[in-house]
Amino acid sequence: MEVQENQLTFVQEKAKELSNAMELRGWASTKLVPTPPYGYTLVSMTGCRAWFGKRWGMINDDRENFLKVVLDIPKGRTSIEEVSERLDLDIVHGNEGKTGVEMIDNRDRHTIVIYLFKEMLEQTAFRESETLELISDVRRWSCL
């Protein structure tokens, strides 16, 4: 099937589904800013204790075969093992070509990176997902 101009890829459709689920939560203090060609930037309208003051995450939909969710959290708030268990995902080290989660230790914060490949995305409904619950918690930890 030929791709039409402005036609969303499957990964972009799932990123839109996740952003819509977040907006349904009614987070008045959070704005999802389209950031072409990468996806969406999560911006706090009240300020954060993370990424450049107001930005606390991204939903990257610029790849054909996976969605990447990047979330900044204050150090010591959770561990990679807790996130892995909570999301029922393997711990990975960078993009290993499979669904998983990693935690990057930055100087002033931790960054959780969730890689969701097509096989997992096909099974995921973000509206009632643990991924959405984790994002909700990260928002509370980082920006309130």
Side-chain angles (χ1 to χ4, degrees), residues 1-18 37-40 60-68 116 118 121-122 126:
M1 181 165 89
E2 188 175 320
V3 175
Q4 302 296 320
E5 188 174 337
N6 296 327
Q7 183 177 356
L8 295 179
T9 66
F10 174 71
V11 171
Q12 290 169 332
E13 287 175 1
K14 293 304 281 189
K16 186 69 175 161
E17 177 187 325
L18 176 56
Y38 305 107
Y40 302 91
N60 293 90
D61 64 1
D62 61 336
R63 304 294 182 187
E64 187 175 311
N65 60 340
F66 70 93
L67 179 68
K68 182 169 76 172
L116 299 170
K118 271 189 169 181
L121 287 174
E122 289 170 349
F126 285 115

Side-chain angles (χ1 to χ4, degrees), residues 25 27 86-87 126-138 140:
R25 288 284 172 110
W27 296 339
R86 181 173 180 179
L87 298 179
F126 285 115
R127 193 168 185 189
E128 298 296 327
S129 70
E130 192 57 41
T131 301
L132 184 60
E133 293 303 320
L134 176 66
I135 294 169
S136 180
D137 287 346
V138 169
R140 187 172 36 83

Side-chain angles (χ1 to χ4, degrees), residues 11 21 24 49 80 82 102 104 117 140:
V11 171
L24 283 174
R49 295 179 293 277
I80 187 62
E82 290 171 345
E102 76 171 320
I104 301 168
F117 279 77
R140 187 172 36 83

Side-chain angles (χ1 to χ4, degrees), residues 5-90:
E5 188 174 337
N6 296 327
Q7 183 177 356
L8 295 179
T9 66
F10 174 71
V11 171
Q12 290 169 332
E13 287 175 1
K14 293 304 281 189
K16 186 69 175 161
E17 177 187 325
L18 176 56
S19 66
N20 288 341
M22 292 171 65
E23 288 174 345
L24 283 174
R25 288 284 172 110
W27 296 339
S29 65
T30 294
K31 183 176 181 181
L32 284 89
V33 178
T35 313
Y38 305 107
Y40 302 91
T41 301
L42 310 176
V43 178
S44 170
M45 305 312 288
T46 59
C48 289
R49 295 179 293 277
W51 215 9
F52 301 114
K54 292 195 176 201
R55 292 183 287 173
W56 57 275
M58 290 195 78
I59 301 169
N60 293 90
D61 64 1
D62 61 336
R63 304 294 182 187
E64 187 175 311
N65 60 340
F66 70 93
L67 179 68
K68 182 169 76 172
V69 179
V70 181
L71 304 166
D72 284 334
I73 62 170
K75 282 195 168 204
R77 196 50 141 143
T78 190
S79 69
I80 187 62
E81 293 80 14
E82 290 171 345
V83 174
S84 170
E85 184 177 326
R86 181 173 180 179
L87 298 179
D88 195 25
L89 297 177
D90 292 336

